[in-house]
Amino acid sequence: MKFLDLSKYDHWMAIAITGLIDAPIIPLGAGPDMYILSERHFKNAKRDDFSLALKESFEDFGLEASEKLTLNDPKLILVPLTDVSEEIVSDALKIADMALACFNQIYFPSRARFIKWERRSGKAIGVTCTKGAVSAIRSGFNLTGPAIVKPVEYNFWDWFLASSLRGQLPELGKALYKNMEWERESQNSSHITHRFAFNWVGLESMMPNGECQEAAMVRRYSLVMGAPRGADSKSILANPEQARFFEKYKNSHSKQWVRAIEGMYRYRCAIFHDGSSDLNSEDIDSKKIDWYYHLSKTLSTRVNRLAVNALIDKVDTIDDFWNSYVIDYLYSERNHWATNGTFMQDLLINFDWENEKYPEVI
């Protein structure tokens, strides 16, 4: 049996994979640049240290450190590194994931993939090695949530879940469900462009049929942020009570919101029509993409909250939601965002994305 000589690499990482029953040492890339292998392909002197470190990694990611998973010849992708800093490991994981995608194309029907990958933190179950010293990769997350003292009483979300399970959601409820699905996809992606794109698809799922063009999206979501345009603005000004509310809480940043939503829509088109996903694209700065992601998340949070309120108020259709409910809610004393000072989201729309990446909240 062949063994892999790792002495020529000062730094490397080995990530636990699944979707492969067995294999010899398989070089990947023209270097070779990576390897698919099993633990048995390490020399005996390294195996004990490696097994202990891998077991620690499994445990830290919250998976059972069973003998089957960690000690019975686990399958791995091994990647030589320049160093084992967090940034290098995070970037190498993305490349290794693509290497597995290529491997699956070559060895059909292989389904090789990482056993556990915290994409957003850039960590996966595995080990790193520096000049012979093996260390477990740790998740870096506190996976515990709040301590629940007692369950809340029956509420909207109980009705929403039960109705979705029974296929009884009205049209507006189905749209909200889709938007929430896309939000979850966004949370699980490591690629900021994909996260923005998933959020945007969710926003489109809340639109009336035939209204996913730029003009319609800008109109509807500008309204959501207190920057009404065109017919919406005329409707508000024609209603004395709504007009007074509009003047009281006038959005001095309305043009900035309109431009931002226009920019997001055009970037959305670049992604969906041109296949753009390069964070170093000359067309858009990676920091601006991060800002767009946070703007889209804010739009999604707000439209979801409006949809919840509308469903509680027995609004069933998307047309009724957009054509009457949203204006009636936002330009009335019921609008809690106006009373607590968050209606216009001044800090977010004025964020200096060119000089500082928007702080991520895990």
Side-chain angles (χ1 to χ4, degrees), residues 137-281:
I137 296 177
R138 300 188 177 279
S139 71
F141 280 132
N142 179 358
L143 298 177
T144 60
I148 307 299
V149 177
K150 65 176 183 178
V152 297
E153 296 178 358
Y154 181 86
N155 57 47
F156 168 84
W157 295 109
D158 293 304
W159 169 84
F160 184 80
L161 178 60
S163 297
S164 66
L165 291 171
R166 292 166 176 76
Q168 296 171 349
L169 284 174
E171 181 188 40
L172 180 59
K174 292 176 182 177
L176 175 60
Y177 188 95
K178 288 180 182 177
N179 193 11
M180 291 173 64
E181 280 188 310
W182 284 111
E183 280 184 336
R184 298 291 286 182
E185 289 294 332
S186 176
Q187 291 170 18
N188 290 327
S189 176
S190 65
H191 198 308
I192 193 64
T193 295
H194 299 167
R195 292 168 69 186
F196 163 76
F198 290 147
N199 270 357
W200 194 268
V201 174
L203 292 175
E204 291 188 358
S205 72
M206 294 295 296
M207 293 289 286
N209 286 334
E211 284 199 23
C212 288
Q213 306 87 355
E214 180 177 351
M217 294 288 291
V218 172
R219 173 196 170 189
R220 298 300 192 185
Y221 283 103
S222 294
L223 172 63
V224 165
M225 299 313 300
R229 309 181 77 225
D232 294 330
S233 182
K234 290 179 181 178
S235 172
I236 291 166
L237 294 177
N239 182 309
E241 289 187 12
Q242 291 179 355
R244 282 194 293 272
F245 197 90
F246 173 79
E247 289 298 327
K248 184 178 179 181
Y249 296 103
K250 201 165 186 176
N251 191 340
S252 59
H253 308 292
S254 59
K255 291 182 179 178
Q256 290 159 266
W257 272 107
V258 169
R259 286 195 297 269
I261 296 170
E262 288 173 342
M264 285 190 282
Y265 183 85
R266 289 164 192 171
Y267 186 54
R268 166 260 191 226
C269 291
I271 298 168
F272 296 149
H273 298 315
D274 303 333
S276 173
S277 64
D278 185 0
L279 297 188
N280 297 313
S281 168

Side-chain angles (χ1 to χ4, degrees), residues 20 24 30 60 86 92 110 117 121-122 146 173 216 246 252 261 293 303 326 330 359:
L20 186 64
D60 199 68
E86 287 192 4
S110 170
W117 183 16
S121 67
F246 173 79
S252 59
I261 296 170
Y293 161 68
V303 77
V326 173
L330 291 177

Side-chain angles (χ1 to χ4, degrees), residues 7 54 114 133 168 182 331 356:
S7 62
L54 188 60
F114 301 145
Q168 296 171 349
W182 284 111
Y331 289 91
E356 186 177 1

